[in-house]
Amino acid sequence: MSTITKRGNKYRATISLYGKGEYKRETKTFKTKEDANLWAMEMELQKGQGKNLAERSTLFPDFYENWVNTVKKDDVREATFINYQRTIKIVNDLFSNIQLKNLNDTVMQKKLDQYASTHSKKTTKELVLKIRASIKYAYARGLIATDFGSLIKPKGIEKEKRNVALAVSDFKKLRAYCLNNSNDEFNILVLLALETGARRGELLGLKKEDLYEYGVHIRRSISPTNDDTRLKTKHSRRDISINKDVFDLVSNLALDKEDYIFDWDGFHQATHLQTLLKKLNIPKTTFHGLRDTHASFLFSNDIKIDYISLRLGHNSITTTQNYYISLMVDKQKKHQQDADALNLLNDLSE
């Protein structure tokens, strides 16, 4: 039921709501009786469509925390769930007093822009993706009137990329050094990263039974933050072929191991990698940068993208194209390709 009450020069519309075992009332004041009636009719229509108007007064942070701990808990890997939990405090700080019914793309964009002013665009984008998913769920449950998530744009500070793909000359230098200094277990780990393009956690998750002639089975991933060994996606489960010389080194290393081939070493691989790169006078990069280097090398040598996608364990070729588009032309081939392109264009004027 809805009622319209005149209060001075304005009109107050009231609708009755029922949710979670109790009755509530929603009110809104308008300048004209016509506007009040239109709002009341719209609310009654939404009630008739099964919209959960009674819970629209819920604070967005309360809804988000409940969504993370119920909907997402069993829907994602443990490591991913931990990332979702970390965003609960961020959402609470940004939207502390905002109810679901008062949320829209303008309100949310303004709050997220505040966050973006002190965070990288990558970090902001990860937050926006999670919030978009929660908004989609809220809309499906009738808790908000529209699914405005797609209108929210991630902004942020553009930081220098850390996962830089090495030039071919540096790739060869690093690979040769690791091959010639295989007495150090860490060098074999770096060598295998360059050889396979596998993620660090996937390499640390290798066991004796994961070796085959000549290659490795990727069946698990080790995380420094939790005990979940599941792979990132179902497509991450794959077999990657490797050269015999690399296979022999990994196989010999595995002989003296009882379970995992590589020592996790307190997950200090990033620090060790920087030390090694500095020693060889190679530009800084990360373990994911070694993955990018592997992809870049294959791209630059005209290996088909569908094969590269399978080797990297991507969900689809589109993922490979979108993520590695900047790597499709190797730095040291670019100058020659620039010249070739200019020569072709020059021919048009002859």
Side-chain angles (χ1 to χ4, degrees):
M1 290 289 292
S2 61
T3 59
I4 309 296
T5 306
K6 186 174 182 181
R7 299 178 66 85
N9 295 326
K10 297 183 179 180
Y11 294 86
R12 185 173 70 179
T14 303
I15 60 170
S16 299
L17 305 173
Y18 182 78
K20 293 185 176 181
E22 60 181 32
Y23 285 96
K24 299 180 181 179
R25 289 193 299 180
E26 183 81 15
T27 63
K28 193 169 183 179
T29 302
F30 300 88
K31 291 182 178 180
T32 67
K33 187 175 182 179
E34 181 181 3
D35 288 341
N37 277 318
L38 285 173
W39 179 81
M41 289 174 61
E42 182 182 347
M43 293 299 103
E44 292 294 344
L45 179 61
Q46 290 190 39
K47 282 169 57 178
Q49 293 173 340
K51 302 297 184 181
N52 196 347
L53 303 186
E55 293 186 38
R56 288 188 178 182
S57 296
T58 302
L59 293 174
F60 178 62
D62 292 341
F63 159 77
Y64 184 83
E65 181 174 2
N66 182 66
W67 173 76
V68 168
N69 290 322
T70 56
V71 178
K72 302 308 297 182
K73 184 174 183 179
D74 298 320
D75 190 45
V76 296
R77 296 169 60 241
E78 183 180 346
T80 305
F81 178 64
I82 290 173
N83 287 332
Y84 271 93
Q85 285 187 310
R86 288 172 180 160
T87 62
I88 291 175
K89 184 180 186 305
I90 299 172
V91 168
N92 187 62
D93 291 342
L94 290 175
F95 305 95
S96 58
N97 297 313
I98 300 179
Q99 298 175 335
L100 285 170
K101 64 181 180 181
N102 295 325
L103 268 184
N104 56 46
D105 58 296
T106 302
V107 171
M108 185 157 280
Q109 187 70 64
K110 186 178 295 185
K111 293 291 185 180
L112 288 170
D113 285 352
Q114 293 176 13
Y115 179 80
S117 67
T118 56
H119 293 80
S120 70
K121 188 170 183 179
K122 181 177 183 295
T123 300
T124 305
K125 183 177 181 180
E126 290 173 354
L127 175 63
V128 167
L129 289 175
K130 292 176 175 60
I131 288 178
R132 279 178 182 167
S134 73
I135 290 171
K136 186 178 292 293
Y137 180 81
Y139 175 69
R141 289 286 308 276
L143 300 177
I144 54 177
T146 58
D147 179 7
F148 54 83
S150 61
L151 300 177
I152 303 169
K153 305 302 178 186
K155 302 176 184 178
I157 303 168
E158 293 284 1
K159 293 188 175 181
E160 185 178 350
K161 186 178 179 182
R162 295 173 61 245
N163 305 327
V164 180
L166 300 177
V168 170
S169 58
D170 290 325
F171 175 31
K172 291 180 178 178
K173 182 194 292 186
L174 181 58
R175 187 177 189 277
Y177 178 86
C178 291
L179 276 171
N180 295 326
N181 295 272
S182 57
N183 55 310
D184 188 331
E185 178 180 313
F186 180 73
N187 292 341
I188 300 178
L189 179 67
V190 171
L191 181 63
L192 195 58
L194 291 170
E195 186 82 359
T196 62
R199 302 173 179 91
R200 182 186 67 162
E202 294 171 343
L203 296 173
L204 295 180
L206 289 173
K207 296 185 176 183
K208 287 184 176 182
E209 61 264 30
D210 297 324
L211 296 178
Y212 71 91
E213 194 174 0
Y214 295 101
V216 292
H217 301 297
I218 302 298
R219 296 295 182 265
R220 67 196 68 78
S221 181
I222 303 301
S223 169
T225 59
N226 59 79
D227 297 328
D228 186 3
T229 61
R230 287 179 295 174
L231 294 169
K232 187 174 183 180
T233 70
K234 64 179 181 180
H235 298 279
S236 299
R237 182 185 174 90
R238 62 201 188 280
D239 300 334
I240 308 176
S241 57
I242 58 179
N243 284 301
K244 183 179 183 303
D245 52 357
V246 178
F247 174 80
D248 289 342
L249 290 175
V250 178
S251 297
N252 290 334
L253 178 63
L255 292 176
D256 298 326
K257 300 298 179 74
E258 294 183 2
D259 194 12
Y260 291 100
I261 296 175
F262 293 102
D263 185 352
W264 298 349
D265 190 30
F267 299 98
H268 293 144
Q269 291 82 17
T271 302
H272 297 329
L273 179 60
Q274 297 313 314
T275 301
L276 176 58
L277 294 175
K278 184 176 181 180
K279 176 181 179 180
L280 298 177
N281 196 29
I282 293 175
K284 286 184 178 181
T285 191
T286 62
F287 259 87
H288 202 92
L290 300 183
R291 176 172 166 84
D292 287 356
T293 299
H294 179 81
S296 178
F297 181 71
L298 297 184
F299 277 131
S300 66
N301 284 279
D302 302 319
I303 302 298
K304 290 186 177 180
I305 193 170
D306 53 349
Y307 171 77
I308 297 173
S309 184
L310 289 172
R311 193 170 177 89
L312 295 174
H314 282 160
N315 290 338
S316 66
I317 294 176
T318 302
T319 302
T320 312
Q321 288 174 323
N322 290 343
Y323 192 77
Y324 291 101
I325 191 71
S326 63
L327 304 179
M328 289 188 181
V329 179
D330 179 77
K331 296 175 184 176
Q332 295 185 356
K333 287 185 97 180
K334 183 178 184 299
H335 298 300
Q336 181 59 50
Q337 295 195 15
D338 281 345
D340 292 343
L342 290 174
N343 285 335
L344 286 172
L345 292 169
N346 188 55
D347 289 342
L348 294 175
S349 60
E350 293 181 356

